[in-house]
Amino acid sequence: MDDGTGRRMGRLTAAALLTGGLLYGAANAFYWVMFPDAVSDSAGNVAVAAGNVGAWRVETVLFALAHLVLLPATLGLAAVLGGRKPVAATIGGALALLGLYFSTVHLWHYNAFFGALAGGGVDADAARPVTNALDGDPFVMASFAVWLLGWLVGLLVLAFGAWRARLVALWVPLVLTAGQVLDLVTEGVPLKVAVSVLMVAGFTGLALGVERSRPVSAPAGTATRATADA
């Protein structure tokens, strides 16, 4: 990869990381501001969505867009890391890409499913047998687990790999770790909005690090075709 191509790739990856991070933060904050009440089971999402079907569909689209943008962003970050920390790039990239793929599928179908039921006037009690069947299905739960674990572990492996490669300062992976963990273990609007702030800050740090990075030079002694033919 020549310097020009590497720099263009770096700029595109940085833009995707920044855009994806902003969309992710906006979607998360929008959801919790609009739908602050936690649910006791999956069927409760039908009642929540029925409270404002339009807002429910907006947050579904926002999350889907965020994850779709983060797919090429993650791939680009793994490619940038590839010449510096190949193990972190391979493991983190593979896990994050799997997580983002399944998150996009899961969010789009699962959230759209609840929105469709709410928009059609189906109440939570009527939907409960269906949601219970989905929650007990091994394929559905496996996709959910791959989403959560792949995204959590993959992103953090890439972020700490970027730190080890001296692309970003230590605060970047630490902020992303705090955001991911806080999202898993907390409830309530203030804490969930704090998650959005942390994730946006972390993705901004990654974007700036990638933007400033230079392509890895070819190993010393490697001749280009032009040099070899001279």
Side-chain angles (χ1 to χ4, degrees):
M1 182 187 299
D2 59 41
D3 284 357
T5 301
R7 288 194 178 92
R8 283 194 297 274
M9 181 177 175
R11 286 194 294 268
L12 289 173
T13 298
L17 285 166
L18 182 59
T19 303
L22 289 171
L23 281 169
Y24 188 90
N28 185 69
F30 180 84
Y31 174 83
W32 284 101
V33 169
M34 296 302 298
F35 306 103
D37 298 325
V39 297
S40 59
D41 64 359
S42 294
N45 285 300
V46 178
V48 171
N52 191 333
V53 176
W56 183 271
R57 287 173 173 160
V58 167
E59 65 86 14
T60 300
V61 171
L62 282 174
F63 269 120
L65 285 175
H67 291 150
L68 285 172
V69 173
L70 287 171
L71 275 166
T74 302
L75 183 61
L77 177 58
V80 170
L81 279 180
R84 298 170 171 86
K85 298 291 177 182
V87 174
T90 302
I91 295 174
L95 288 173
L97 287 171
L98 272 174
L100 285 168
Y101 170 77
F102 278 101
S103 72
T104 304
V105 172
H106 183 91
L107 275 166
W108 187 252
H109 287 90
Y110 218 56
N111 278 32
F113 169 71
F114 292 132
L117 292 178
V122 177
D123 62 24
D125 288 335
R128 189 161 282 109
V130 177
T131 59
N132 287 345
L134 288 171
D135 289 344
D137 184 83
F139 288 101
V140 174
M141 289 300 99
S143 71
F144 193 73
V146 172
W147 163 22
L148 290 179
L149 293 176
W151 176 232
L152 171 68
V153 177
L155 176 62
L156 297 185
V157 169
L158 288 174
F160 278 101
W163 168 61
R164 294 284 295 167
R166 298 185 179 181
L167 294 178
V168 300
L170 180 58
W171 69 264
V172 173
L174 291 180
V175 161
L176 288 170
T177 301
Q180 292 276 51
V181 173
L182 197 63
D183 196 24
L184 286 176
V185 302
T186 63
E187 292 182 359
V189 176
L191 290 173
K192 292 298 187 179
V193 171
V195 168
S196 290
V197 173
L198 290 169
M199 296 302 287
V200 170
F203 276 108
T204 300
L206 283 176
L208 291 174
V210 170
E211 173 69 25
R212 291 192 296 262
S213 68
R214 292 184 177 182
V216 176
S217 301
T222 301
T224 64
R225 183 176 180 81
T227 302
D229 291 344

